[in-house]
Amino acid sequence: MPDGSQTEVRKGRKFDQVIEGATGVFMTDGFERASVDEIARRAGVSKATLYSYFPDKRLLFVEVMKRECQRQADEAKQLIDKSNPPTKVLPMAGRIMLEIFLSDFGLQTFRMSVSESQHFEGLGVHFYECGPQLVETELVEYFKVAEARGELLIEDKKLAAHQFVDLCRSWLVPRRLMQVQVQTTDTEKARVIDGAVEMFLARYGTA
């Protein structure tokens, strides 16, 4: 793509087409193998139009990443009933997060954010805000509700949110990131999430 001197995204009439096309290509091919030609073809736009919106493939990936994270968050909100106790909400939240972490897009996003953040200003911040920060906000909100009902007792709710996320990421996610393991079973996922919930409630549950 062009030299990347333009650092801000420009929007236009076919902006959403470009995002839709890029999402499909990134999901299939990942960031490194994603072709600008294929993105333009899939989006039904010229390369000139694509360049006018996104002069750098990384900027395009960031936009796709933010939208995909928000879409996943919105879907999770629909599935999780916060009126339920932690014994129901935490396993559901854990399963949803683990599926996202282990998805091709989730793994690719994490790898890119770590490897490129030193060279691409703001990439790490973008990833943190639409990933870990978003999850932290939702979990803290639920912890407050559950604590008001006497089901949890948590002094540092932000820390507790990240502790729960890390428990859900344990074992399987590092193995997938490092290519130690390329597939995961439902039994393995259940083992991780059940253990995460049990450990978390042992520390913060009131029952």
Side-chain angles (χ1 to χ4, degrees):
M1 296 184 86
D3 62 12
S5 57
Q6 176 189 327
T7 58
E8 294 184 0
V9 173
R10 294 173 180 166
K11 294 190 177 182
R13 183 169 55 88
K14 297 184 178 180
F15 184 83
D16 288 338
Q17 278 180 240
V18 171
I19 295 298
E20 184 176 351
T23 300
V25 175
F26 284 135
M27 290 287 194
T28 303
D29 300 336
F31 173 75
E32 293 295 341
R33 291 184 294 126
S35 160
V36 175
D37 289 323
E38 178 60 17
I39 291 173
R41 187 195 68 78
R42 194 87 67 93
V45 302
S46 68
K47 288 175 67 175
T49 296
L50 179 60
Y51 292 150
S52 71
Y53 297 154
F54 299 97
D56 188 315
K57 190 170 73 170
R58 291 174 299 183
L59 287 173
L60 178 54
F61 187 82
V62 166
E63 189 66 25
V64 169
M65 177 181 69
K66 290 193 293 185
R67 292 193 175 208
E68 181 63 16
C69 287
Q70 189 60 58
R71 182 192 66 78
Q72 292 171 343
D74 291 341
E75 287 185 356
K77 289 179 184 179
Q78 295 298 317
L79 293 172
I80 298 174
D81 184 352
K82 291 182 179 179
S83 67
N84 284 325
T87 51
K88 289 188 176 181
V89 169
L90 294 180
M92 174 66 77
R95 286 193 293 270
I96 291 172
M97 286 192 294
L98 185 56
E99 290 295 341
I100 293 172
F101 296 151
L102 292 174
S103 69
D104 289 341
F105 186 77
L107 293 169
Q108 291 162 5
T109 299
F110 182 82
R111 288 191 184 107
M112 183 192 166
S113 297
V114 172
S115 65
E116 296 289 332
S117 60
Q118 289 184 323
H119 312 294
F120 183 11
E121 185 178 357
L123 177 61
V125 174
H126 284 306
F127 172 73
Y128 190 85
E129 287 176 346
C130 72
Q133 185 67 59
L134 191 61
V135 173
E136 174 197 300
T137 299
E138 292 299 320
L139 285 175
V140 167
E141 181 181 312
Y142 175 69
F143 293 162
K144 290 177 180 178
V145 172
E147 191 170 60
R149 295 195 300 249
E151 298 163 342
L152 294 174
L153 183 59
I154 305 175
E155 183 175 347
D156 191 336
K157 294 177 178 60
K158 289 185 178 181
L159 175 60
H162 289 279
Q163 289 173 331
F164 182 65
V165 171
D166 285 343
L167 287 170
C168 294
R169 285 174 51 88
S170 64
W171 188 46
L172 291 180
V173 175
R175 287 173 65 83
R176 285 291 300 277
L177 284 169
M178 298 174 192
Q179 298 294 305
V180 175
Q181 184 173 349
V182 295
Q183 298 290 336
T184 52
T185 67
D186 290 341
T187 300
E188 289 172 327
K189 294 173 187 176
R191 179 184 175 193
V192 169
I193 299 306
D194 290 348
V197 172
E198 182 178 354
M199 185 172 290
F200 187 85
L201 291 179
R203 172 63 179 84
Y204 296 113
T206 59

